[in-house]
Amino acid sequence: MTTKYEYHSGFMEEALEQAELSLNNNEVPVGCVFVHNGKVIARGMNDTNKSLCGTRHAEFLGIEHILKTHTADIFEEVDLYVTVEPCIMCASALRQLKIKCVYYGCANDRFGGCGSVMSIHSDKGVDPTYKAYPGFYREEAIMLLRRFYCQENENAPTEKKENKKQRELKTAFQPFDFTKYVHSEEEFVEVYGEEYLHLYQESLKEKLKETGKGEKKRKTKK
Amino acid sequence: MSEFVHKLKSNPRNNVIDDSFWQIKYQDDHRGLELIPLLTTTIPANKSGVVVKLIKDHVDEDAHDLGHLRRIAKEADLIKEGQVEGETADSTEKKPASEVFLRVIIASKDTEVDFETIKAGITAILSYEPPFHTDYASKYLPFTKQESVEWSRNAWPIMWRGNTAAIQTKLSDSELSEMKQKLNEVIALSKANSGTKELPVATLIVDPKTGEVLSRKLDTRHKQGNPLNHCTMEAIAEIASQELARRQERGTSKQEREREGKQETIDGEEDDRLYLCLEMHVYTTHEPCPMCAMALNHSRVGRLVYVESSPGSGGIEPNSGGSHGIHWNPQLNWKYEVWKWVGDDLGVEKVDESVNA
Ligand SMILES: [Zn+2]
Ligand SMILES: [Zn+2]
């Protein structure tokens, strides 16, 4: 029997394939799949460079594909799997479509609209809120982005190249703070399954350590 | 106090030029006096250095930003009602430092810190237990000097060094008339949807150097069967496809050059390839939703001008939707100016609050 985590990860593997394809097309590697009744009904990959349009994100390509054959109310029964947290623009688009749920790989610290920079999915607004869960194949999603930025740098003219240290492909990862995105153990188990509860608990422990550090710092100052 | 707060909140808008354009900047711009409780104590002036150091050692980070507050206030300054100004201030100056008393902020009461330890520490320094008080301070930096004076009279004194959010962007007379003319143009365009099931919403994208309108889009999301085809998104897409067509005509698309194995030329144009709306001016009838507001950010526009607020769904104004202020968020790597028309009624049709413009 597949666990909940494996079930979601299966779709994320398909989203990663899309991201890989966009990397091969010299696009920022972000890919997604839209799932309806357990079946992939659309795929999308980032297309901003080729289209010269800064809004051609993977999500939009998938959405447009679906709307060719369905009316927009189908999104109420559709889940999105996307390798990188939807940006503020896409997070709002998904909310306007009343998407059922969003699962993503890594956080988007620069533009993330599902908990990182803003929480468009759950803030005050006119459309119903939706849930967004990170951490499915997070490291693979990050590695694709790193490969892209290395490759960009390789292609840049010499005077624009960053120094060697920055160019090297990093393979280490910061621990991920699940507690920023999932608000209780119950909810975590509900989505990721009991077997993975330790991931959430590690985040909690890490968070406690951080606050502990603050305490200690204060004490040693005395 | 509540009457006072009410008066401040109903103050006319700051940053209005020519009684017609209101520049929307920080989310905090129009916040009135909101109070937070502080723990303070009264100590002799000659002990203030040691006490302030002890407080600093214990309070790493306050729960609130207290940067706009005086850390130390003269007791005399805090007694206001029914007192002749300057009277006590004069008399304190003649006294030796041990007899002048100061009131010091320990921390805002929302701060997670061991207040009892700090109280004990201060008591040890003074060799007696000083009085501890709850005082109230403004949570935000005031917008104007006048507000600062007024708020300081009603709460903990504020240190006024100006507020960068209050610096106005200048608009020349010719810019103002250009802006008004373009607004009339976009409103006229929006009227084409009157009486149809489409929204009376339209967008123009203008090259600010020439004043030329590069894209004119009327909202047709219903006809197109895509609830995301807002006119602002369509206008952005049109700018991109115009440029794509131009490049393909010249046979200089990036893909072709790569296929031919040519070295990519860096002529500035290629650098801007993702930012085709760079510094362009956008005119819309209604405050855009977060999707469109962020699309404008991704596209690096320079200015947005609109008429009607979208209190339910807007992504710009401090009191709209989720108060996102997407055009001016310090965490995002691009900002654009926003001006809302606040002059005479220009006849823009209102849309339902539940609509995303
Ligand atoms: Zn996006
Ligand atoms: Zn919109």
Side-chain angles (χ1 to χ4, degrees), chain B residues 61-87:
Chain B
E61 203 181 335
D62 203 279
H64 297 283
D65 182 0
L66 305 182
H68 58 290
L69 300 177
R70 294 185 183 281
R71 296 306 300 215
I72 300 176
K74 280 193 195 140
E75 278 289 303
D77 290 343
L78 292 161
I79 311 160
K80 282 146 287 191
E81 305 306 310
Q83 191 185 314
V84 186
E85 241 176 80
E87 194 183 62

Side-chain angles (χ1 to χ4, degrees), chain A residues 30 46 54-60 84-91 108 111, chain B residues 294 298:
Chain A
V30 182
N46 196 21
T55 62
R56 301 301 291 160
H57 289 187
E59 294 90 331
F60 274 80
V84 180
E85 176 186 355
C87 75
I88 290 161
M89 173 183 75
C90 293
N108 181 343
F111 304 119
Chain B
M294 190 61 199
H298 282 316

Side-chain angles (χ1 to χ4, degrees), chain A residues 25-27 48-55 57 60 63-64 67 70-72 87-90 92-94 96-97 109-111 116-120 123-127 152 155 157 160 211 214-215 217-219 221-222, chain B residues 56-60 112-113 117 225-230 233 236-237 240-241 243-244 247 254-255 258 263 266 271 273-274 276 289-291 294-295 297-299 312-313 321-322 324 326 329 331-333 353-356:
Chain A
N25 287 332
N26 280 317
E27 299 281 353
T48 53
N49 285 346
K50 196 178 103 222
S51 67
L52 302 175
C53 187
T55 62
H57 289 187
F60 274 80
I63 290 165
E64 282 165 22
L67 288 174
H70 297 86
T71 53
C87 75
I88 290 161
M89 173 183 75
C90 293
S92 172
L94 294 163
Q96 292 181 35
L97 292 172
D109 293 329
R110 290 171 70 209
F111 304 119
S116 289
V117 178
M118 291 184 190
S119 295
I120 301 284
D123 273 351
K124 202 176 142 204
V126 293
D127 303 297
E152 273 262 289
N155 293 336
K160 280 199 170 180
T211 17
E215 291 286 317
K217 208 167 92 200
R218 246 165 260 156
K219 281 196 186 109
K221 266 189 178 177
K222 248 196 263 183
Chain B
K56 267 193 192 151
D57 285 348
H58 281 81
V59 186
D60 262 355
E112 275 179 44
V113 62
T117 311
N226 184 342
L228 304 181
N229 281 355
H230 300 185
M233 298 296 282
I236 291 169
S241 58
E243 175 64 11
L244 198 62
R247 289 189 194 182
K254 188 169 174 267
Q255 283 75 20
E258 278 173 0
Q263 182 73 36
I266 305 289
D271 274 354
R273 67 184 190 272
L274 277 180
L276 289 172
C289 71
M291 171 182 71
M294 190 61 199
N297 186 305
H298 282 316
S299 308
S313 62
H324 293 118
I326 287 167
N329 183 302
Q331 275 177 276
L332 298 174
N333 63 356
E353 272 229 10
S354 64
V355 161
N356 290 285

Side-chain angles (χ1 to χ4, degrees), chain B residues 46-58:
Chain B
N46 63 341
K47 294 276 195 263
S48 60
V50 229
V51 171
V52 167
K53 188 179 177 305
L54 175 110
I55 294 169
K56 267 193 192 151
D57 285 348
H58 281 81

